[in-house]
Amino acid sequence: MAEAKDADVVSPEAAEPKVEAVPGEVPVLPTRGAVIYPYLVVPLFVGRPRSIKALETTMKNGRRIALVAQRNITVDDPGPDDLYQVGTLGEVVQTLPLPDGTIRVMIEGSERVRISGYVHSDPFLKARIQHLVEVEQPGIETEALVRNVVAQFERLINLGKNLPADALESARRITDAGRLADLIAYYAQIPVEVKQQVLEAANQRVRLEILANVLNREIEILEVERKISSRVKQELEDSQKEFYLREKMKAIQQELGERDDRTGEMEELRTRIKEAEMPEEVEERALKELDRLERMPPASPEVVVVRTYLDWLIAMPWNKRSEEKLDIRAAERILNEDHYGLKKVKERVLEFLAVRKLAKDIKGPILCFMGPPGVGKTSIGRSIARATGRKFVRISLGGMRDEGEIRGHRRTYVGALPGRIVQGLKTASTRNPVFMMDEVDKIGVDFRGDPASALLEVLDPEQNNAFSDHYLEVPLDLSEVMFITTGNLLDPVPPALKDRMEVIEFPGYIEDEKVKIAQLFLIPKQLKNHGLEPKQLRFTESGLRTIIREYTREAGVRNLEREIASICRKVAKGIAQEKVKAARLTGKSVRNYLGQGRFRYGMAEKEDEVGVATGLGWTEFGGDILFVEVTLMKGRGNLVLTGHLGDVMQESGKAAFSYARSRAADLAIDEDFYRRTDVHIHVPAGQIPKDGPSAGITMATTLVSALTRRPVRRNVAMTGEVTLRGKVLPVGGVKEKVLAAHRAGIKTVILPQENKRDLEEIPSHVQEDLTFSFVETMDEVLSLALHERPRREAAAKAAPSERGAARPVAQPPSSVH
Ligand code: ADP
């Protein structure tokens, strides 16, 4: 038990606290977990028997009592050793016995005291006390400490420590540094030991220092705590908030009576999103949009926009695919079932499929079908889909204005839609369809912006697993799609695209093939379409040939099919009206159904003429024959070229003219002819644009014919570029041109020597029907095409007007090459 002189138990700074004797001996009230300071009125609950006794005694003897904190709060009935040696002398202001036997007391602390010894421990603790004299130490430092401690206290309160509301107010009002320290120490939630240290420090500044330290620490701890808890809270809050908002919204909607419909709709959308099996980030995106949608007032115009967007997202075949079949034999069977001929094409397609089968992971090139219309490109594409068990979709690239049509427009634009690729996928509703893109050769022309790049991205196996459509805004995997492009001409296709593609050419059919295709496929199909029995309408072969020769002039069979359909329609109508029972279509009766023939079959001219020659042109609709006419007029050597000719063709005409002039002497032409003559070269039909150098030899031949009056052989057709010195250079599209000559009933075809190798591609029976002459010079051309001698008659009337009529009228080609 410590005596009064044992000053070392006091806080270190108060090394020599002054003590003074205080009158008498006082009962001691041990406090558990609390330290009471002078000048504070504090409530205490007293329940322990010794404490109650002490209190009772005090009440009888001047109400003074020493309040001393317990060192260890777990001790229930503390003796002298369990108590600190510094306490506070207090005066009981009020007692209030409570029904449970405890007493609530209000005690006002008056001064610090040191216990110098105990008088007795029973029935209650009674001690001798000494006065602990407080040391004041005013000065700037103390002032600063005061401010600091008040500020810290305030910070503690702000950090959310639960302190009585007026504690801060009182702290601000107190001017005495020591009392301020006591007040704060009492209220602040700091360890009891520290509180005790504050009590034991007689020096006021020391008290403040102890407090400043401990408060600092408290604040730090609180701040860290707060950070942690705010993080946790944030996470909790976000989900709670969402839940709360959703519930609230439901409630509001219910109030407004619109809940059922809308909630139902939203729930349905949510289910559809879940069922669409989107990749995770896409689903997240979709759900976010759905949330947005739910929060929108139903009348907002945005609702439709977001809904449409969600519908598109849901409609994408994220994870739906057809089971792919890769049985090459079955594929071959299907291709043959659907198509006549096209041997080479079928072989190439089967090779392509076989490679895919063997090397599934190797991303092969894109198939590209090139050829005139109606030769079965689409139809082969459909067969590939059927053979591989995939769906078939088809879009046209022709006439597209901008990149947006492929890639879509951003949703910020009114009425924005996804691009054609996405639209196609929606139609396919599987992620691995056969996706045909027609008219690749037309994109270079109409496209604004960057034509190739969007398409390149689609077709590039390295990139197309994350194709981005501006509208969808989420990456789309196109890597399982089998793309096939089609076009009429390879030349206009941008080179970068060409590189990606494996081109398969569809050459166009000769008459015999068309007859077979009609008999085996087109007629049965059209009969069925029109509900006719085969016996109700029969086509004889001569009937078919008449349709082919006189009603169509095409490389494919599109118009042929159309004419057959039109006959079927008429016959079906006749049968329905019971005018006829059955019909038989012969060469003669075609006219009854289709009217006057549109094309003259056979040689272009009835007689060999002067100043008109037959050339061979090449259009996107296949090859065709064309005529070159020359008229000479009095004049001064002007050369006029007409017939909608492009620059190259005009230059070619000028070259022909210069050639004729330079060779005048050899050709027995008056060398000065141009001084007195104007030359007009015309290529009908005038409204169809024509270009390219391949009419060069035809123009030169016609010109020489006109100048020499030597007639041109009517059963000869030619193609080739001419140089100023009369050399003949090779040209393109030979196969199409030869087929066209064959169709037109030409017998001899003059071709440049260097085009000889192109003959390989021409079907042998066509080769058998025709005579080919390969030439290197204009002289050879002239000797093959022109009669030896000039025509006798005087008048030089070339260019009969009806020659231009021998053109297809149904679909004028956009240009002739
Ligand atoms: P393209 O796509 O080349 O313009 P399509 O594939 O549309 O031509 O062909 C036009 C029509 O001709 C279709 O009805 C098609 O089935 C038919 N057809 C074309 N070639 C053949 C062929 N070799 N065998 C059977 N039918 C054919």
Side-chain angles (χ1 to χ4, degrees), residues 265-278 307 310-312 314-315:
E265 195 186 329
M266 294 301 145
E267 283 320 306
E268 188 208 316
L269 267 177
R270 197 177 297 276
T271 322
R272 283 173 58 206
I273 290 172
K274 296 272 188 222
E275 283 170 358
E277 297 183 54
M278 305 172 175
R307 262 222 72 134
L310 282 175
D311 283 339
W312 276 104
I314 292 168

Side-chain angles (χ1 to χ4, degrees), residues 692-752:
S694 74
I697 62 170
T698 322
M699 290 198 276
T701 304
T702 322
L703 193 55
V704 172
S705 161
L707 290 167
T708 58
R709 312 294 313 144
R710 288 162 66 185
V712 185
R713 293 181 209 278
R714 65 194 168 121
N715 56 3
V716 172
M718 62 192 85
T719 179
E721 178 174 352
V722 68
T723 71
L724 285 179
R725 310 168 77 193
K727 287 254 175 299
V728 178
L729 302 182
V731 292
V734 169
K735 187 173 42 181
E736 278 76 15
K737 288 172 178 173
V738 170
L739 289 179
H742 185 261
R743 276 202 293 278
I746 298 285
K747 291 285 173 266
T748 302
V749 178
I750 301 177
L751 294 171

Side-chain angles (χ1 to χ4, degrees), residues 339-340 342 374-379 509 521 525 557-558 561:
H339 299 94
Y340 174 83
L342 294 175
V375 291
K377 301 184 295 295
T378 313
S379 177
Y509 301 116
F521 296 95
K525 185 160 109 190
V557 291
R558 202 171 269 182
E561 186 170 21

Side-chain angles (χ1 to χ4, degrees), residues 396-407 439-440 442-455 494:
S396 174
L397 300 172
M400 287 197 174
R401 292 273 144 63
D402 61 48
E403 193 197 0
E405 295 192 43
I406 285 201
R407 235 190 228 296
E439 310 200 300
V440 256
K442 305 291 190 308
I443 56 161
V445 189
D446 293 349
F447 242 94
R448 253 160 261 162
D450 190 353
S453 85
L455 200 59

